[in-house]
Amino acid sequence: MKQRTLSIVKPDAVRAGNAGKIIAEIESHFKIVAMRKLQLTHAQAAAFYAVHAGKPFYNDLVDFMTSGPVVVMCLEGEDAISGYRRLMGATNPEKAEEGTLRKKYATSMSFNAVHGSDAPETAAVEVAFFFPGCDLI
Ligand code: ADP
Ligand code: MG
Protein backbone atom coordinates (compact mmCIF):
# COMPACT_ATOMS: atom_id res chain seq x y z
CA MET A 1 0.00 0.00 0.00
CA LYS A 2 1.29 3.46 -0.92
CA GLN A 3 1.89 5.41 2.30
CA ARG A 4 3.35 8.67 3.55
CA THR A 5 5.54 8.97 6.62
CA LEU A 6 7.46 11.67 8.46
CA SER A 7 11.24 11.62 8.59
CA ILE A 8 13.45 13.94 10.66
CA VAL A 9 17.21 14.26 10.36
CA LYS A 10 17.90 15.11 14.00
CA PRO A 11 20.23 17.89 15.25
CA ASP A 12 23.17 15.52 15.91
CA ALA A 13 23.24 14.34 12.29
CA VAL A 14 22.78 17.85 10.86
CA ARG A 15 25.57 19.15 13.15
CA ALA A 16 27.89 16.34 12.04
CA GLY A 17 27.36 17.21 8.37
CA ASN A 18 25.54 13.96 7.65
CA ALA A 19 22.21 15.40 6.45
CA GLY A 20 23.12 15.23 2.76
CA LYS A 21 24.24 11.60 2.92
CA ILE A 22 21.13 10.62 4.89
CA ILE A 23 18.82 12.45 2.48
CA ALA A 24 20.53 10.83 -0.53
CA GLU A 25 20.04 7.40 1.00
CA ILE A 26 16.40 8.13 1.82
CA GLU A 27 15.87 9.40 -1.74
CA SER A 28 17.17 6.13 -3.19
CA HIS A 29 14.25 4.32 -1.49
CA PHE A 30 11.41 6.86 -1.19
CA LYS A 31 9.93 9.86 -2.97
CA ILE A 32 10.49 13.04 -0.93
CA VAL A 33 7.16 14.84 -1.27
CA ALA A 34 8.09 17.76 1.02
CA MET A 35 11.21 18.96 2.86
CA ARG A 36 12.05 21.78 5.31
CA LYS A 37 15.07 22.77 7.40
CA LEU A 38 14.07 24.44 10.66
CA GLN A 39 14.93 24.74 14.34
CA LEU A 40 12.19 23.51 16.68
CA THR A 41 11.09 25.69 19.59
CA HIS A 42 10.81 24.09 23.01
CA ALA A 43 7.00 24.16 22.76
CA GLN A 44 7.04 22.54 19.31
CA ALA A 45 9.41 19.74 20.35
CA ALA A 46 7.45 19.12 23.55
CA ALA A 47 4.23 18.86 21.54
CA PHE A 48 5.75 16.66 18.84
CA TYR A 49 6.99 14.18 21.47
CA ALA A 50 3.96 14.55 23.79
CA VAL A 51 3.43 10.77 23.66
CA HIS A 52 6.68 10.43 25.67
CA ALA A 53 5.81 13.10 28.28
CA GLY A 54 6.63 11.89 31.78
CA LYS A 55 9.22 9.33 30.65
CA PRO A 56 12.68 9.72 32.21
CA PHE A 57 14.28 10.75 28.91
CA TYR A 58 11.57 13.27 27.86
CA ASN A 59 13.19 16.53 29.03
CA ASP A 60 16.57 15.60 27.59
CA LEU A 61 14.88 14.57 24.33
CA VAL A 62 13.15 17.96 24.03
CA ASP A 63 16.43 19.78 24.83
CA PHE A 64 18.27 17.70 22.24
CA MET A 65 15.65 18.18 19.53
CA THR A 66 15.82 21.97 20.01
CA SER A 67 19.64 22.08 20.13
CA GLY A 68 20.10 22.86 16.44
CA PRO A 69 18.45 22.70 13.03
CA VAL A 70 16.68 19.60 11.79
CA VAL A 71 15.65 18.54 8.29
CA VAL A 72 12.05 17.36 8.13
CA MET A 73 10.73 15.36 5.19
CA CYS A 74 7.48 13.76 4.15
CA LEU A 75 8.31 10.50 2.36
CA GLU A 76 6.07 8.49 0.09
CA GLY A 77 6.35 4.93 -1.13
CA GLU A 78 5.04 1.39 -0.96
CA ASP A 79 4.72 0.54 2.77
CA ALA A 80 6.76 3.67 3.50
CA ILE A 81 6.06 3.64 7.26
CA SER A 82 7.55 0.22 8.05
CA GLY A 83 10.02 0.50 5.18
CA TYR A 84 11.51 3.71 6.51
CA ARG A 85 11.61 2.28 10.06
CA ARG A 86 13.64 -0.61 8.60
CA LEU A 87 16.01 1.79 6.84
CA MET A 88 16.46 3.71 10.15
CA GLY A 89 17.24 0.65 12.27
CA ALA A 90 16.62 0.12 15.98
CA THR A 91 16.26 3.07 18.38
CA ASN A 92 19.43 1.94 20.15
CA PRO A 93 22.22 2.04 17.52
CA GLU A 94 24.03 -0.80 19.29
CA LYS A 95 21.07 -2.99 18.31
CA ALA A 96 20.63 -1.50 14.82
CA GLU A 97 21.34 -3.76 11.87
CA GLU A 98 24.37 -3.24 9.64
CA GLY A 99 23.63 -0.79 6.82
CA THR A 100 20.85 1.07 8.63
CA LEU A 101 20.96 4.86 9.08
CA ARG A 102 21.21 4.57 12.86
CA LYS A 103 24.01 1.99 12.64
CA LYS A 104 25.92 4.40 10.40
CA TYR A 105 25.10 7.80 11.90
CA ALA A 106 23.73 7.45 15.46
CA THR A 107 26.13 7.72 18.39
CA SER A 108 23.79 6.65 21.22
CA MET A 109 20.18 5.90 22.14
CA SER A 110 19.69 9.63 22.84
CA PHE A 111 21.58 10.94 19.81
CA ASN A 112 20.25 8.62 17.17
CA ALA A 113 20.34 10.73 13.99
CA VAL A 114 16.85 10.16 12.60
CA HIS A 115 13.15 9.99 13.44
CA GLY A 116 10.44 8.06 11.62
CA SER A 117 6.72 7.71 12.26
CA ASP A 118 5.71 4.35 13.73
CA ALA A 119 2.13 3.79 12.44
CA PRO A 120 -0.41 5.19 9.94
CA GLU A 121 -2.18 7.23 12.65
CA THR A 122 1.02 8.84 13.96
CA ALA A 123 2.34 9.39 10.41
CA ALA A 124 -0.77 11.39 9.49
CA VAL A 125 -0.51 13.55 12.64
CA GLU A 126 3.26 14.05 12.29
CA VAL A 127 3.14 14.97 8.57
CA ALA A 128 0.37 17.49 9.29
CA PHE A 129 2.41 18.90 12.21
CA PHE A 130 5.03 20.19 9.73
CA PHE A 131 3.36 20.40 6.31
CA PRO A 132 0.06 21.89 5.24
CA GLY A 133 -1.59 19.80 2.55
CA CYS A 134 -0.75 22.37 -0.14
CA ASP A 135 2.99 21.81 0.40
CA LEU A 136 2.85 18.06 -0.28
CA ILE A 137 3.73 17.63 -3.95
P1 ADP B 1 11.95 5.73 17.91
O1 ADP B 1 12.61 7.08 17.62
O2 ADP B 1 12.79 4.60 17.42
O3 ADP B 1 10.52 5.67 17.44
P2 ADP B 1 10.89 6.08 20.60
O4 ADP B 1 9.65 6.61 19.95
O5 ADP B 1 10.73 4.99 21.60
O6 ADP B 1 11.94 5.58 19.51
O7 ADP B 1 11.64 7.27 21.34
C1 ADP B 1 11.73 8.55 20.73
C2 ADP B 1 13.14 9.06 20.89
O8 ADP B 1 13.40 9.27 22.27
C3 ADP B 1 14.24 8.09 20.44
O9 ADP B 1 14.49 8.14 19.05
C4 ADP B 1 15.42 8.58 21.25
O10 ADP B 1 15.98 9.75 20.67
C5 ADP B 1 14.76 8.95 22.56
N1 ADP B 1 14.79 7.84 23.51
C6 ADP B 1 13.94 6.79 23.56
N2 ADP B 1 14.23 5.94 24.56
C7 ADP B 1 15.31 6.49 25.18
C8 ADP B 1 16.10 6.10 26.30
N3 ADP B 1 15.85 4.98 26.99
N4 ADP B 1 17.13 6.92 26.63
C9 ADP B 1 17.39 8.04 25.97
N5 ADP B 1 16.68 8.47 24.89
C10 ADP B 1 15.65 7.70 24.50
MG1 MG C 1 8.87 6.72 18.05
Side-chain angles (χ1 to χ4, degrees), residues 7 11 14 17 20 25 28 40 52 57-58 61 78 92 106 111 118-121 125:
S7 159
V14 174
E25 202 160 326
S28 73
L40 286 164
H52 295 300
F57 59 84
Y58 179 66
L61 174 62
E78 208 51 40
N92 182 347
F111 307 132
D118 61 7
E121 300 72 29
V125 171

Side-chain angles (χ1 to χ4, degrees), residues 72-102:
V72 185
M73 287 166 277
C74 175
L75 311 180
E76 184 178 271
E78 208 51 40
D79 296 321
I81 297 170
S82 62
Y84 178 58
R85 297 277 317 179
R86 266 199 308 282
L87 179 63
M88 284 202 305
T91 309
N92 182 347
E94 286 174 19
K95 296 190 178 143
E97 280 187 48
E98 242 10 273
T100 60
L101 295 174
R102 281 171 165 166

Side-chain angles (χ1 to χ4, degrees), residues 29-64:
H29 297 275
F30 304 98
K31 181 178 167 192
I32 299 172
V33 294
M35 175 157 67
R36 295 173 63 196
K37 185 173 187 178
L38 59 104
Q39 185 152 357
L40 286 164
T41 64
H42 190 278
Q44 287 169 336
F48 184 80
Y49 280 113
V51 64
H52 295 300
K55 293 186 186 165
F57 59 84
Y58 179 66
N59 289 339
D60 287 345
L61 174 62
V62 171
D63 285 347
F64 163 57

